[in-house]
Amino acid sequence: MTATVARPPRMARTRPPRSVGRLISRWALPVLTALAIGYLLIPVMVMIVFSFNDYQGKFNFIWNGFTIDGWLHPFEWPGLPGSITNSLLIAFVSTAVSTVLGTLMGLALTRYDFRGRGPMNALIFLPMATPEIVMGSSLLTLFIGSALPPLNGVIPRGTFYPLGLQTILIAHIMFNISYVVVTVKARVAGFDRHLEEAAMDLGADEWTTFRKVTLPLILPGVIAAALLAFSLSIDDFVITNFVSGTTNTFPIWVWGIIKNALPVQINIVGTIIFVLAVGGVALSTLRGGGAAPTRIR
Amino acid sequence: MADVAVRLTQLTKRFGDPAGRRSATADGSPTAEGVTAVDHIDLEVEDGEFFSLLGPSGCGKTTTLRMIGGFEQPTFGRIELQGEDVTWLPPYRRNVNTVFQNYALFPHLSVFENVAFGLRRRKVPIAEVKRRVSEMLELVELPGFERRKPSQISGGQAQRVALARALVNKPAVLLLDEPLGALDLKLRRQMQVELKRIQEEVGITFIYVTHDQEEAMTMSDRIAVMNRGRYEQLGDPEVLYERPRTRFVAGFLGVSNLLPATMDGQADGYAAFRLGDGTTVRVPTTVLEDQSGSVAVGVRPEKIRMHETDQASPPGFNSLGGTIVDASYIGVSTQYIVRMADGRRVTVYEQNVERATKSELWKTGEQVVLAWSPDHCFVVEEGGGAAPESDEELNAVA
Ligand SMILES: Nc1ncnc2c1ncn2[C@@H]1O[C@H](COP(=O)(O)OP(=O)(O)OP(=O)(O)O)[C@@H](O)[C@H]1O
Ligand SMILES: [Mg+2]
């Protein structure tokens, strides 16, 4: 976009344009774009820069000089490694489960006409539309309720209560599924059913057709959905805070520690996550662009 | 008698019947709701034949083909492939392959892998896969395209890849659903010839769906002309053109003049029919089948000659007087519209041979006598069945 605007159109040569218009078209968009990108990136920049801060006292707030001390001990703070392990575990498991379930649901909801499909399509948006804080508190109510009469003893202890990794997982899978379904549905909607018929025509049974044709073609959508689920899971705070009990995830740990200290390790872990996320997105964009052109004759 | 490749028995497909029931009634007869896309079709396609299903949009051609391919389950009836009942078998258990209308090439696979897809499913050894795929690409004249993706080839090439992908499996029957529909006229013509060549070369039975009568006529051994879920007539192209049995067939294949008539006795192998303006025309009794009710006598516009007087027309020919109301010069021929005494219009094509320049052509307003051999007549049933076009419309289109 910027490129076409920055270079005045060919017509400009034969007919001199109004100079103000040209000025605007030449400068306004690039400048605004730069501002917008700056606005988005400055917090990240601050985070990265302050991960190299040689700060005084407990709080890493004021710039005091460059050091790589923090980066030499990136996880050295009581409770930090455990919380990161938990976050990663939850993110991986909830992403895997919700991607598989959500993909199948997305396929079913676009493909098949069954009773209750309409309501199902609407319900799938509910977890996204409900305020997180409401979702968190009602999940907490549900989980605690499961340990009280009359449910007490019906559901094995340790499933919903006491709160811990498993309840966080249940919550994350729940909200992730919605996002996966919506993302996958968008991809499946543009899918040509004849391709699957062609595969079956050529001797592929249902499973082979799925493996060789359906999945490769919706894969970019599935990968995008998985990345989204992973990032939603790894930085969820509100819902997790309600259902985590005494288990710490990284965001919960940060929230707990900043009352007493703001160690440089927070910036470092944040930077690592940012770099990995950017890398992941870049990779999936490259793959997605090459592997599955949606153009179908 | 050649072996039967495909036999359809009372094949019926209804859409939109109440959910949960395959058929509202036991024999698939209509209920209040729903569309009958295919209506109790009986059909036998012979081995090695180029068979076409021809008909207007929505007449059920695709649905018939999809049932043979296994993509659609019949509401009623039976499908046999080389004597084996395949009615309820999934597509991957039928020895047929399909060339889809939009080609349906796998966009994520190369041309080679597209063509090899069927062979790989059957675990054919790699070396043989390579050999057969290259042979096939050779046959469809696309060697060297192995590594291209479907998005990197042209429409005509995609069509040929789709053909190769199906043929490489050596199916008993190849189903083609308007495979040339997306191509421009010139390429269509070229591909028609090529398709016919390939069919003769591989000797596989082709069932070809099209709504283009010219395409069906040039390529097919036999054609079934479909209308509203049934076929109205089945035969080789020449019979369909020379002896259409219904108004619909007469109008769908080429242009016809249909003159409502009543039978007026028979003699010497000819039947006499009285037309609306009182003229009597003769028709060989051989073309009479048990047409019942009111009938129309038909004659193709190019079979009619025009003369200035009655005397000029050869003896024994049918003749009919009229006034030229329109003449359009089309280069190879001139098309005239002649109005009869009762107001009916007859279309006549005359080759621009004897009268070649504009000044020599017949003029609007001239009185003429139309003459044609009785052997060029056919008789269709009037009334029942949908006429695709009325005479007036025919004249307007032609
Ligand atoms: N899945 C479906 N659900 C309901 N009706 C259908 C379905 N598929 C086809 N039909 C109807 O069945 C009839 C026959 O359709 P079909 O696709 O076989 O026509 P066709 O002869 O192939 O026409 P065309 O030349 O336009 O492709 C049409 O009236 C169509 O509307
Ligand atoms: Mg069709």
Side-chain angles (χ1 to χ4, degrees):
Chain A
M1 247 173 85
T2 38
T4 51
V5 175
R7 206 182 312 120
R10 188 152 287 177
M11 283 221 325
R13 257 177 229 158
T14 52
R15 185 167 54 101
R18 283 163 298 152
S19 59
V20 179
R22 185 160 81 177
L23 217 64
I24 288 175
S25 71
R26 186 173 277 239
W27 295 110
L29 203 61
V31 168
L32 284 176
T33 310
L35 280 176
I37 290 176
Y39 182 52
L40 291 173
L41 282 186
I42 282 171
V44 178
M45 283 305 155
V46 168
M47 173 185 79
I48 295 172
V49 169
F50 272 72
S51 75
F52 296 99
N53 188 12
D54 185 15
Y55 66 103
Q56 301 289 298
K58 287 180 168 181
F59 290 89
N60 179 14
F61 277 150
I62 295 157
W63 184 254
N64 194 45
F66 181 87
T67 177
I68 55 162
D69 276 0
W71 280 94
L72 295 177
H73 315 279
F75 305 117
E76 219 166 274
W77 203 271
L80 177 59
S83 71
I84 291 176
T85 316
N86 284 342
S87 269
L88 288 176
L89 179 74
I90 289 162
F92 275 114
V93 175
S94 74
T95 299
V97 175
S98 60
T99 303
V100 171
L101 290 181
T103 301
L104 297 180
M105 280 173 74
L107 277 168
L109 283 171
T110 7
R111 284 302 171 69
Y112 304 106
D113 200 5
F114 50 89
R115 195 164 298 178
R117 175 173 117 156
M120 192 71 199
N121 260 321
L123 279 176
I124 212 71
F125 278 98
L126 270 189
M128 288 195 249
T130 314
E132 267 196 273
I133 200 148
V134 176
M135 188 75 86
S137 67
S138 54
L139 275 171
L140 179 60
T141 313
L142 172 73
F143 291 156
I144 290 178
S146 74
L148 303 172
L151 290 177
N152 187 17
V154 177
I155 299 160
R157 200 177 150 75
T159 312
F160 290 165
Y161 197 85
L163 302 173
L165 270 181
Q166 80 284 4
T167 48
I168 304 176
L169 261 178
I170 290 169
H172 282 212
I173 290 171
M174 182 208 62
F175 66 71
N176 272 345
I177 280 184
S178 292
Y179 289 93
V180 175
V181 169
V182 171
T183 315
V184 170
K185 262 174 68 181
R187 181 82 195 183
V188 178
F191 192 96
D192 183 0
R193 281 308 295 275
H194 290 307
L195 293 175
E196 284 165 339
E197 290 181 348
M200 290 216 188
D201 187 68
L202 294 166
D205 57 22
E206 287 83 358
W207 171 238
T208 313
T209 301
F210 181 77
R211 259 186 333 124
K212 293 285 178 188
V213 175
T214 317
L215 190 58
L217 288 174
I218 62 169
L219 198 60
V222 174
I223 290 175
L227 285 174
L228 183 65
F230 192 88
S231 73
L232 285 172
S233 171
I234 208 151
D235 68 22
D236 181 73
F237 174 74
V238 179
I239 293 178
T240 312
N241 195 30
F242 278 99
V243 300
S244 59
T246 56
T247 306
N248 271 347
T249 62
F250 179 65
I252 303 282
W253 178 83
V254 171
W255 175 246
I257 198 124
I258 56 171
K259 287 160 199 157
N260 304 316
L262 189 65
V264 74
Q265 276 75 11
I266 293 178
N267 297 52
I268 291 168
V269 174
T271 305
I272 292 172
I273 292 176
F274 172 76
V275 169
L276 289 181
V278 169
V281 169
L283 221 97
S284 91
T285 316
L286 286 179
R287 282 216 46 184
T294 34
R295 200 170 139 212
I296 286 161
R297 306 184 170 282
Chain B
M1 186 84 197
D3 286 340
V4 174
V6 179
R7 175 181 288 122
L8 309 182
T9 315
Q10 290 288 299
L11 192 66
T12 301
K13 177 68 186 181
R14 296 181 47 72
F15 289 109
D17 273 334
R21 271 181 292 169
R22 184 161 283 138
S23 165
T25 51
D27 65 347
S29 63
T31 50
E33 57 262 69
V35 206
T36 307
V38 176
D39 193 1
H40 297 88
I41 285 191
D42 287 307
L43 195 66
E44 283 185 2
V45 179
E46 282 160 23
D47 249 345
E49 189 175 26
F50 197 120
F51 189 92
S52 288
L53 291 173
L54 173 67
S57 185
C59 70
K61 308 179 295 285
T62 297
T63 310
T64 308
L65 211 66
R66 285 174 59 79
M67 284 193 283
I68 300 173
F71 309 115
E72 208 83 71
Q73 298 198 331
T75 314
F76 184 76
R78 194 177 144 92
I79 302 167
E80 279 166 62
L81 252 179
Q82 297 184 315
E84 187 202 357
D85 184 351
V86 298
T87 317
W88 304 105
L89 292 185
Y92 49 86
R93 298 221 186 291
R94 300 181 184 207
N95 193 13
V96 296
N97 284 116
T98 309
V99 176
F100 292 84
Q101 179 160 14
N102 61 355
Y103 314 140
L105 297 181
F106 306 123
H108 59 300
L109 299 180
S110 65
V111 165
F112 181 92
E113 283 304 326
N114 263 284
V115 178
F117 196 90
L119 299 176
R120 292 218 193 279
R121 300 286 78 72
R122 285 188 282 137
K123 309 261 184 306
V124 173
I126 310 268
E128 198 188 331
V129 171
K130 278 196 178 140
R131 186 178 56 77
R132 283 172 66 177
V133 170
S134 0
E135 262 176 32
M136 238 339 123
L137 289 177
E138 202 93 10
L139 181 74
V140 298
E141 290 168 357
L142 281 180
F145 278 70
E146 285 87 349
R147 308 179 68 169
R148 302 257 196 116
K149 284 283 177 68
S151 56
Q152 298 166 332
I153 59 181
S154 76
Q157 291 163 346
Q159 199 277 330
R160 280 181 277 174
V161 174
L163 187 66
R165 184 178 70 172
L167 279 178
V168 77
N169 305 294
K170 304 201 175 110
V173 178
L174 187 72
L175 309 174
L176 303 101
D177 191 355
E178 307 208 16
L180 308 182
L183 307 181
D184 64 56
L185 195 65
K186 190 154 170 268
L187 198 52
R188 259 180 106 106
R189 289 274 150 74
Q190 192 183 325
M191 287 301 303
Q192 285 170 8
V193 176
E194 215 159 309
L195 261 180
K196 185 71 190 161
R197 166 183 71 81
I198 290 170
Q199 195 259 341
E200 276 161 9
E201 214 166 310
V202 296
I204 289 175
T205 312
F206 275 34
I207 300 185
Y208 191 94
V209 158
T210 180
H211 61 248
D212 180 337
Q213 49 116 351
E214 203 177 306
E215 191 167 293
M217 302 260 276
T218 48
M219 297 203 284
S220 319
D221 296 320
R222 287 196 305 158
I223 304 174
V225 182
M226 285 188 70
N227 186 26
R228 297 184 175 179
R230 294 168 177 269
Y231 62 88
E232 298 224 341
Q233 191 172 353
L234 191 158
D236 62 44
E238 193 199 321
V239 167
L240 287 181
Y241 187 76
E242 300 293 342
R243 301 265 180 272
R245 271 211 311 265
T246 69
R247 187 168 253 275
F248 177 82
V249 176
F252 199 77
L253 278 105
V255 176
S256 294
N257 294 298
L258 296 176
L259 308 166
T262 44
M263 174 117 82
D264 210 19
Q266 294 186 13
D268 312 330
Y270 287 96
F273 282 90
R274 186 179 299 281
L275 303 184
D277 67 348
T279 329
T280 300
V281 294
R282 297 195 311 145
V283 176
T285 49
T286 46
V287 308
L288 295 181
E289 300 185 26
D290 40 297
Q291 285 99 347
S292 56
S294 54
V295 295
V297 172
V299 60
R300 300 283 183 186
E302 74 278 10
K303 314 276 194 206
I304 304 177
R305 291 282 161 270
M306 298 205 294
H307 305 284
E308 278 162 35
T309 61
D310 226 350
Q311 279 73 46
S313 79
F317 269 40
N318 291 323
S319 64
L320 199 59
T323 315
I324 293 180
V325 293
D326 187 56
S328 11
Y329 180 79
I330 329 182
V332 284
S333 63
T334 304
Q335 178 198 314
Y336 298 98
I337 307 224
V338 179
R339 195 174 57 215
M340 292 161 53
D342 65 349
R344 227 155 238 292
R345 285 146 189 264
V346 174
T347 304
V348 179
Y349 296 158
E350 204 173 69
Q351 292 282 315
N352 295 332
V353 183
E354 287 110 46
R355 299 156 180 267
T357 64
K358 215 141 191 188
S359 56
E360 291 167 350
L361 298 176
W362 299 94
K363 308 259 177 331
T364 311
E366 274 187 88
Q367 295 282 332
V368 291
V369 172
L370 308 180
W372 68 93
S373 160
D375 296 330
H376 287 143
C377 286
F378 53 86
V379 176
V380 301
E381 268 176 41
E382 270 285 57
E389 292 129 320
S390 72
D391 285 349
E392 263 65 29
E393 282 163 3
L394 265 183
N395 293 341
V397 180

